[in-house]
């Protein structure tokens, strides 16, 4: 593992990518393309190499992917990564990248940031992330307070094309502690759990009753959308 990890971060372009992601907390692939002036295929290759050693985690909103450093990475590797980025960010090319990013960020015009948090696991929140991401100018993320360690069979049933061969990253709330949202929607399925200290302009709590949890997966999808769209 250590050899693959060190090899992944030893490339100058990948250090530039990590520096930008670390600065922005989360960054759209279009902003990486525009800042680094890379072809999409070249950027995808570098991101893939970082993903393979779990350095990055990502979520999709429509056709765009949003990358962030995986805070669930082993603590020793995460500390080493942060130290290397701290050194690299003082180089001239790193400073230039940050300046260019600030001047051209949000080039994909996503303006409304929403986090869906599931009290029990992350099945319901991922359904909403998938559905609400179809709307324009909305950046939706999902997370669980006690996230599942694998893709739910119900999620695969509902979105067979998307999750059939999905390489799963646990969508923990810890990945979003430094991120700012317009709205956080807290889905409460049983006893309410307290959220960590998250940054948001508005917090909305939505209860999913026990009888509602027994609906078919397609009925549940419609219910979840109906409960949330009124706040958008």
């Amino acid at each position: 593992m250590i050899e693959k990890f060190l090899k992944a971060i030893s490339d100058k372009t990948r250090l530039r990518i990590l520096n930008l992601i670390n600065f922005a907390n989360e960054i759209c692939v279009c902003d990486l393309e525009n800042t680094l002036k890379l072809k999409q295929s070249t950027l995808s290759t570098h991101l893939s190499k970082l993903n393979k050693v779990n350095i990055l985690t990502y979520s999709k909103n429509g056709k765009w992917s949003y990358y962030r450093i995986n805070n669930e990475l082993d603590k020793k590797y995460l500390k080493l990564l942060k130290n290397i980025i701290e050194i690299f960010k003082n180089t001239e090319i790193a400073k230039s990248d940050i300046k260019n990013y600030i001047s051209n960020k949000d080039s994909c015009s996503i303006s409304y940031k929403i986090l869906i948090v599931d009290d029990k696991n992350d099945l319901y929140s991922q359904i909403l992330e998938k559905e609400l991401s179809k709307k324009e100018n909305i950046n939706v993320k999902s997370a669980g307070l006690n996230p599942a360690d694998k893709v739910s069979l119900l999620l695969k049933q509902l979105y067979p094309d998307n999750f059939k061969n999905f390489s799963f990253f646990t969508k923990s709330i810890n990945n979003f502690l430094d991120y700012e949202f317009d709205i956080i929607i807290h889905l409460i399925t049983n006893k309410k759990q307290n959220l960590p200290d998250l940054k948001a302009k508005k917090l909305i709590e939505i209860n999913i009753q026990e009888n509602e949890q027994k609906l078919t997966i397609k009925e549940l999808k419609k219910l979840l959308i109906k409960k949330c769209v009124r706040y958008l």
Side-chain angles (χ1 to χ4, degrees):
M1 173 61 183
I2 184 64
E3 292 89 352
K4 293 180 179 179
F5 178 86
L6 291 174
K7 186 175 181 180
I9 62 175
S10 63
D11 180 87
K12 184 176 181 179
T13 299
R14 291 195 284 276
L15 282 173
R16 294 174 69 191
I17 291 171
L18 290 169
N19 178 59
L20 285 168
I21 295 175
N22 183 66
F23 175 82
N25 289 323
E26 181 179 67
I27 193 168
C28 177
V29 66
C30 59
D31 284 329
L32 286 173
E33 287 179 26
N34 292 334
T35 301
L36 300 176
K37 308 301 181 186
L38 294 174
K39 293 182 179 179
Q40 185 177 21
S41 58
T42 301
L43 178 59
S44 294
T45 298
H46 286 297
L47 291 171
S48 177
K49 289 180 179 180
L50 292 170
N51 278 330
K52 284 181 180 179
V53 289
N54 291 347
I55 289 175
L56 298 180
T57 184
Y58 72 95
S59 57
K60 294 188 71 67
N61 181 41
K63 65 178 181 179
W64 301 114
S65 295
Y66 291 80
Y67 286 85
R68 57 187 175 274
I69 292 174
N70 180 19
N71 288 324
E72 296 299 305
L73 186 65
D74 182 281
K75 291 182 180 179
K76 293 180 181 177
Y77 289 105
L78 186 59
K79 182 178 180 181
L80 175 60
L81 178 64
K82 293 286 188 178
N83 286 339
I84 291 174
I85 294 174
E86 187 67 23
I87 295 171
F88 181 76
K89 76 177 187 180
N90 293 315
T91 63
E92 289 304 314
I93 193 167
K95 292 177 181 178
S96 177
D97 285 343
I98 296 300
K99 183 178 179 180
N100 290 335
Y101 166 70
I102 292 173
S103 299
N104 300 288
K105 67 178 180 177
D106 299 325
S107 52
C108 49
S109 301
I110 298 297
S111 59
Y112 207 55
K113 301 178 179 66
I114 300 172
L115 176 65
I116 313 289
V117 182
D118 192 331
D119 232 9
K120 189 175 182 181
N121 52 54
D122 51 2
L123 169 62
Y124 299 161
S125 60
Q126 285 191 82
I127 290 174
L128 282 170
E129 178 183 21
K130 196 70 182 170
E131 294 301 321
L132 297 181
S133 290
K134 296 175 182 178
K135 297 181 177 294
E136 293 184 1
N137 297 325
I138 295 180
N139 179 356
V140 187
K141 303 291 181 289
S142 67
L145 291 175
N146 299 291
D149 59 359
K150 58 183 178 181
V151 178
S152 166
L153 293 177
L154 291 176
L155 203 62
K156 289 186 175 183
Q157 177 187 331
L158 193 59
Y159 304 105
D161 294 335
N162 299 98
F163 292 97
K164 182 179 179 181
N165 299 309
F166 190 65
S167 179
F168 189 66
F169 282 100
T170 298
K171 305 193 78 171
S172 170
I173 194 68
N174 293 332
N175 283 322
F176 301 99
L177 297 181
D178 296 324
Y179 198 81
E180 294 185 7
F181 295 92
D182 293 294
I183 296 178
I184 292 178
I185 298 177
H186 184 188
L187 303 175
I188 302 169
T189 51
N190 292 301
K191 184 179 179 181
K192 177 184 173 182
Q193 297 186 49
N194 292 325
L195 296 178
D197 188 16
L198 297 166
K199 302 170 185 175
K201 297 176 183 177
K202 190 174 184 180
L203 173 63
I204 296 167
E205 295 180 350
I206 295 178
N207 285 284
I208 312 297
Q209 304 299 328
E210 187 174 349
N211 64 311
E212 294 174 334
Q213 297 176 42
K214 296 178 182 178
L215 296 173
T216 67
I217 190 64
K218 291 185 178 180
E219 291 172 333
L220 179 61
K221 181 185 76 171
K222 291 180 180 179
L223 174 71
L224 289 171
I225 296 171
K226 183 178 180 180
K227 284 177 175 285
C228 287
V229 292
R230 70 186 70 173
Y231 300 108
L232 303 182

